[in-house]
Amino acid sequence: MRITILFGGTNKERLVSVASAQALQEALPEADLWFWDVSDTVHEVRSQALRSHARPFEDPFKSGNRGIGLEPALDKAMAEDRLLVLALHGGRAENGELQAMCEMRGIAFTGSGSASSHLAFDKVAAKRFAAIAGVKAPIGLMLEDIDAALATYGKLIAKPARDGSSYGLIFVNAKQDLVAVRNAAKTEEYVIEPFISGVEATCGVLEQSDGSVIALPPIEIVPADGGFDYTAKYLLKSTQEICPGRFAPEITAQIMDQALKAHQALSCSGYSRTDFIISENGPVYLETNTLPGLTKASLYPKSLKVQGIEFADFLLGQVDLAKKRTQR
């Protein structure tokens, strides 16, 4: 199979995708590069153009050449027996639509399939399935009850129901913040929850070449300005990401166990990363990412390193799993 790194996308997380592609290209130097542009066209890209893009988190990548539509590009991938390594995040790349288009054509690709991607992308449904597996999740609040909820809980948090939480995260500390939530909810559905005090944590899960699944060392996150949004994740050097996290052994074990349970309850494959708040009563589930960031600054590669797994070996393992799934 001809390995092709597909990056970009049409949603807000396309900048992160470019940075992920740069890391993947370094680990898979022989792979072809396809850029999915915001215009919904796919372009073949030279490796030098991607390598020389200096500020991926801030400046949009431009292909500089003529592309073809996404569906014709996938037809081409099918005809040329390409295997797609997905350096994509959010939107149609992570909600299962792209995966379904690949599955219908028999195209091998890395990461979870369409059904599990769609389920995990919906934060409300994902919480429900994680809870079935015994993972503790916060209650959901209705938009029409938000005033009473603020009075009851003192602090709330609101985030897009079907998108990454790097963008659109709203901390509700006072009545004036309710206006921001109502305005944001006019254009997309929002999940509203009581604010839970505690340390932020995340835990990767890895499917190995023999089909076994392991949890990677959890990461403790200390955001620069109190919230782990896009700026704190990718632009502020003062954000601390400590791996392995400074948790008590029993808390570490709980985080890893619940990350595994969430991965399995959502029928994820390949790899995933689940986010938690470590409250005074233990880990509380936030969300599961089926295509977590793979940039040099991202959390998942940090866990791989502590586990003793080279990034290139991880990618080759995911390629091998993708081949096996297609051949079944």
Side-chain angles (χ1 to χ4, degrees), residues 214-253:
I214 62 169
L216 300 175
I219 296 177
E220 176 187 351
I221 300 165
V222 185
D225 293 320
F228 199 48
D229 58 7
Y230 183 86
T231 300
K233 281 184 182 181
Y234 301 112
L235 301 179
L236 295 179
K237 293 183 179 179
S238 50
T239 293
Q240 297 181 63
E241 297 160 350
I242 303 164
C243 187
R246 301 168 297 182
F247 306 112
E250 62 272 19
I251 296 297
T252 295

Side-chain angles (χ1 to χ4, degrees), residues 74-75 79 98 128 163 180-181 215 224 244:
L74 294 178
D75 291 339
L98 175 66
R128 188 158 57 244
D163 213 338
V181 176

Side-chain angles (χ1 to χ4, degrees), residues 99-308:
Q99 289 80 359
M101 294 167 75
C102 290
E103 289 164 354
M104 294 298 292
R105 292 169 171 82
I107 300 170
F109 60 91
T110 55
S112 293
S114 59
S116 54
S117 297
H118 186 73
L119 177 59
F121 199 68
D122 184 331
K123 292 184 179 68
V124 176
K127 283 199 302 180
R128 188 158 57 244
F129 274 67
I132 290 171
V135 178
K136 184 178 180 181
I139 63 169
L141 304 169
M142 303 296 292
L143 180 63
E144 55 266 30
D145 299 330
I146 194 170
D147 291 274
L150 178 60
T152 299
Y153 297 103
K155 288 185 178 181
L156 308 174
I157 191 164
K159 52 194 174 183
R162 295 178 183 86
D163 213 338
S165 296
S166 297
Y167 296 90
L169 190 65
I170 302 173
F171 292 93
V172 182
N173 300 310
K175 285 189 175 181
Q176 56 264 35
D177 298 321
L178 300 178
V179 177
V181 176
R182 289 193 173 97
N183 287 336
K186 290 177 182 177
T187 57
E188 61 182 315
E189 184 182 350
Y190 259 67
V191 171
I192 305 166
E193 298 167 343
F195 179 83
I196 299 171
S197 297
V199 176
E200 295 192 49
T202 192
C203 185
V205 171
L206 173 65
E207 181 182 350
Q208 302 179 107
S209 56
D210 62 359
S212 61
V213 182
I214 62 169
L216 300 175
I219 296 177
E220 176 187 351
I221 300 165
V222 185
D225 293 320
F228 199 48
D229 58 7
Y230 183 86
T231 300
K233 281 184 182 181
Y234 301 112
L235 301 179
L236 295 179
K237 293 183 179 179
S238 50
T239 293
Q240 297 181 63
E241 297 160 350
I242 303 164
C243 187
R246 301 168 297 182
F247 306 112
E250 62 272 19
I251 296 297
T252 295
Q254 289 176 33
I255 295 170
M256 296 173 73
D257 176 65
Q258 295 204 17
L260 278 169
K261 286 178 176 176
H263 181 95
Q264 293 164 340
L266 299 171
S267 300
C268 298
S269 54
Y271 63 106
S272 71
R273 199 196 77 225
T274 294
D275 300 338
F276 300 92
I277 288 290
I278 312 305
S279 72
E280 59 183 11
N281 297 315
V284 179
Y285 176 87
L286 297 180
E287 61 183 276
T288 296
N289 304 272
T290 54
L291 286 177
L294 296 176
T295 77
K296 290 185 177 181
S298 291
L299 299 165
Y300 198 92
K302 293 180 191 294
S303 295
L304 289 171
K305 185 175 182 179
V306 172
Q307 185 70 21

Side-chain angles (χ1 to χ4, degrees), residues 55-72:
R55 291 158 43 101
F57 295 116
E58 298 154 273
D59 298 334
F61 180 83
K62 296 179 181 178
S63 68
N65 58 49
R66 200 175 188 87
I68 60 175
L70 176 61
E71 295 216 29

